[in-house]
Amino acid sequence: MDHGTIVERGLREEHRHAAALIFEDAFGSEQRMAVPDAGKRLRYFERVIDARHVLSAVRDEELVGMVGLSSREATYSGGVMHISWDPRQLRDILGWVGAAWAQWGTRLAMHRPADGELYIDGLAVAPAARGSGIGTSLLGEAEAIAAELGLGWLRLDVLDTNPRAQALYERVGYRATRAQSLRHVQHWAGSGGLISMERPVQRATAQPGLEP
């Protein structure tokens, strides 16, 4: 990652719209079933992204990448999107029926982390900033958090139509553990399958003669 980019824990409020744009570019096609209209989907992302569960990559005060985190521990419980069962949360954007449909579909699809797991709940980098090491830096900070929380491994899911992302994860030590068919929702997901990947958390060890 270039020296002008920093990774911050959390999402600045002034970056919320940029986060929605980055998230839409990366995951909008996967959310078409929940929110079909692209304009409304962008407003939906802007509303539901949970700033507390985001790591932000910032360059020259602009958001250039982000990753959501989810765990059973209270710090990151609930993942990158804060969605209740109450349709009033999104009624002004999607209407009563659209809000209920989006909330039902999104909540049912949410990953529920296992004990000892930090789930990478959506890694996205702005198109103009790709290839500069931002994704690797975000994953590194996620692992540092997992170590701080005493968690044993990191996990993520990636569409089988995204070989670039798979290659990134493999380079930093993730290994595929399971393949899941999406054929029943392929029209909306834009892919026929989902690959689960994991890696153990590497904890720093104290050097001889130094206090841990």
Side-chain angles (χ1 to χ4, degrees):
M1 184 172 70
D2 65 83
H3 296 299
T5 304
I6 60 172
V7 174
E8 301 177 347
R9 298 186 181 186
L11 177 71
R12 302 181 196 177
E13 191 58 31
E14 63 264 29
H15 288 159
R16 181 169 289 278
H17 181 66
L21 289 169
I22 291 172
F23 216 71
E24 166 66 16
D25 180 75
F27 304 111
S29 62
E30 299 174 33
Q31 293 290 327
R32 285 182 302 173
M33 184 175 181
V35 186
D37 181 87
K40 291 180 179 179
R41 193 167 56 241
L42 187 64
R43 294 173 61 201
Y44 163 78
F45 285 145
E46 192 167 352
R47 175 75 56 84
V48 303
I49 288 174
D50 192 330
R52 302 167 301 170
H53 301 165
V54 171
L55 301 180
S56 303
V58 179
R59 178 194 295 160
D60 297 328
E61 298 302 308
E62 293 186 2
L63 185 73
V64 291
M66 58 184 286
V67 63
L69 303 177
S70 179
S71 73
R72 284 197 173 185
E73 284 66 28
T75 308
Y76 294 104
S77 176
V80 69
M81 293 196 289
H82 175 68
I83 299 175
S84 72
W85 285 111
D86 187 346
R88 287 176 296 182
Q89 179 191 15
L90 298 168
R91 179 189 61 180
D92 60 319
I93 300 173
L94 304 174
W96 284 108
V97 174
W101 174 258
Q103 289 166 310
W104 176 82
T106 303
R107 287 187 64 90
L108 286 182
M110 288 172 64
H111 175 74
R112 289 157 181 80
D115 289 331
E117 169 188 298
L118 183 65
Y119 184 68
I120 305 300
D121 195 10
L123 171 65
V125 177
R130 290 172 187 164
S132 58
I134 290 172
T136 301
S137 295
L138 287 166
L139 290 171
E141 184 65 13
E143 183 166 10
I145 288 172
E148 291 171 14
L149 294 174
L151 302 177
W153 72 93
L154 300 113
R155 181 176 170 223
L156 55 85
D157 294 309
V158 59
L159 294 175
D160 61 6
T161 52
N162 193 350
R164 180 172 181 170
Q166 292 177 50
L168 165 63
Y169 301 139
E170 289 171 354
R171 282 199 305 273
V172 295
Y174 286 81
R175 295 293 176 262
T177 58
R178 185 169 68 99
Q180 176 184 350
S181 173
L182 297 177
R183 65 183 183 276
H184 297 303
V185 292
Q186 184 172 359
H187 173 71
W188 292 280
S191 173
L194 195 67
I195 299 171
S196 295
M197 306 182 76
E198 296 179 359
R199 67 158 286 163
V201 174
Q202 303 296 315
R203 290 179 171 79
T205 56
Q207 298 178 20
L210 297 178
E211 292 295 325

